[in-house]
């Protein structure tokens, strides 16, 4: 299927993909198609995602060129097919049901590790460094149960709410698993000092526990506002938020 995409507007945009499980994933897919239809999708310069929105954001980031090819709906739909198949698999339900049946054989913490591995399979084992550069910038948001802060995985690494730890080799699957580890079904994901290859004075915690980004802000607009404020301090242009 092909169609003529309207002439592109020049306005800059930020896009927030909220939480809500796979319902949010596919609701936002409809939003992306509307943005494509109106010629606005290619204007997006920042994406903040939470939980179910992060599942879509991972697919969007790795297939950005296919999602935004002008006048080529076929490329758009081809890019989303793996995501649709993934959603139909009822992954999270499978993991939870199997853990209940296995009982003590499958420790609770392994549920989130399995979730990370399945997301990594969906994203072909890609790392944060595979995200688009310089634009659009993707931010996968989670909540630290250890510090109470909102944390952010993006192309340069892991932002713990206070400082950036440059670790662009972290798996994209980890970022999405941390963002979507919905409690109490999925225990927190663990980000360790060793995994960040950080010194003790750089990362004071031995391990930090991360849970669903919706615990802190289910819309992702808090982080987007911070980004917009930082950008407005460096330019006279302003970006709209979606």
């Amino acid at each position: 299927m092909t169609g003529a995409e309207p002439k592109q507007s020049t306005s800059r945009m930020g896009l927030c993909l909220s939480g809500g499980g796979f319902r949010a994933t596919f609701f936002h897919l409809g939003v992306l198609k509307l943005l494509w239809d109106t010629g606005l999708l290619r204007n997006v310069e920042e994406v903040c995602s939470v939980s179910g929105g992060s599942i879509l954001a991972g697919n969007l980031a790795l297939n950005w060129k296919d999602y935004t090819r002008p006048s080529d709906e076929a490329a758009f739909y081809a890019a989303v097919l793996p995501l649709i198949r993934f959603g139909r698999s009822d992954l999270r339900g499978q993991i939870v049901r199997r853990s209940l049946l296995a009982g003590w054989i499958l420790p609770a913490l392994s549920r989130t590790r399995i979730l990370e591995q399945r997301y990594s399979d969906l994203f072909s084992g890609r790392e944060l460094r595979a995200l688009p550069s310089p634009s659009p910038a993707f931010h996968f948001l989670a909540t630290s149960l250890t510090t109470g802060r909102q944390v952010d995985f993006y192309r340069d690494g892991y932002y713990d709410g206070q400082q950036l730890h440059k670790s662009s080799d972290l798996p994209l699957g980890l970022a999405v698993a941390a963002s979507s580890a919905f409690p109490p079904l999925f225990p927190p994901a663990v980000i360790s000092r060793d995994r960040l290859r950080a010194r003790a004075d750089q990362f004071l915690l031995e391990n930090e526990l991360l849970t669903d980004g919706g615990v802190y802000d289910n819309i992702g607009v808090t982080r987007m506002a911070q980004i917009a404020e930082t950008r407005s301090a460096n330019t006279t242009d302003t970006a709209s938020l979606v």
Side-chain angles (χ1 to χ4, degrees):
M1 183 185 302
T2 59
E5 186 184 15
K7 184 177 179 180
Q8 184 184 12
S9 165
T10 58
S11 61
R12 295 166 48 220
M13 298 175 63
L15 179 65
C16 294
L17 303 176
S18 69
F22 279 115
R23 286 176 295 180
T25 302
F26 293 111
F27 170 83
H28 290 311
L29 181 57
V31 172
L32 293 185
K33 184 56 172 63
L34 176 62
L35 292 175
W36 189 93
D37 289 340
T38 55
L40 293 173
L41 185 55
R42 285 176 288 158
N43 291 11
V44 172
E45 294 191 358
E46 301 280 351
V47 179
C48 288
S49 64
V50 177
S51 197
S54 288
I55 303 171
L56 173 58
N59 178 265
L60 175 63
L62 297 179
N63 298 280
W64 180 254
K65 291 182 179 179
D66 290 329
Y67 269 96
T68 56
R69 287 182 185 176
S71 305
D72 192 350
E73 282 183 312
F76 182 101
Y77 288 122
V80 306
L81 276 177
L83 186 65
I84 293 173
R85 295 191 187 103
F86 187 80
R88 287 173 176 169
S89 71
D90 185 28
L91 167 66
R92 301 205 289 186
Q94 286 183 21
I95 294 173
V96 172
R97 287 193 296 271
R98 287 175 183 175
S99 70
L100 292 175
L101 290 173
W104 62 270
I105 299 175
L106 187 63
L109 282 175
S110 70
R111 295 202 296 268
T112 304
R113 288 196 291 268
I114 294 171
L115 190 67
E116 177 186 339
Q117 184 56 56
R118 296 295 179 85
Y119 286 145
S120 290
D121 292 342
L122 173 65
F123 303 134
S124 303
R126 307 294 287 278
E127 299 171 339
L128 295 179
R129 71 181 90 207
L131 299 175
S133 176
S135 178
F138 283 80
H139 302 265
F140 298 85
L141 307 178
T143 304
S144 172
L145 289 179
T146 309
T147 66
R149 302 186 191 110
Q150 183 181 64
V151 301
D152 181 356
F153 293 85
Y154 57 103
R155 192 178 192 276
D156 290 340
Y158 172 70
Y159 177 68
D160 66 9
Q162 289 189 325
Q163 68 180 85
L164 169 66
H165 303 277
K166 292 190 175 182
S167 46
S168 60
D169 59 342
L170 288 174
L172 179 56
L174 168 63
V176 176
S179 181
S180 62
F182 179 74
L185 298 180
F186 290 92
V190 179
I191 187 81
S192 68
R193 184 188 300 155
D194 288 341
R195 200 165 194 182
L196 293 173
R197 297 193 306 277
R199 301 191 310 266
D201 62 322
Q202 296 172 324
F203 194 71
L204 301 180
L205 306 167
E206 188 74 32
N207 295 297
E208 187 170 10
L209 303 180
L210 307 179
T211 193
D212 194 294
V215 173
Y216 187 97
D217 172 11
N218 197 45
I219 306 298
V221 71
T222 302
R223 182 65 174 143
M224 183 65 78
Q226 294 171 348
I227 294 167
E229 182 178 359
T230 300
R231 295 190 67 160
S232 65
N234 299 324
T235 179
T236 56
D237 295 333
T238 57
S240 60
L241 304 183
V242 176

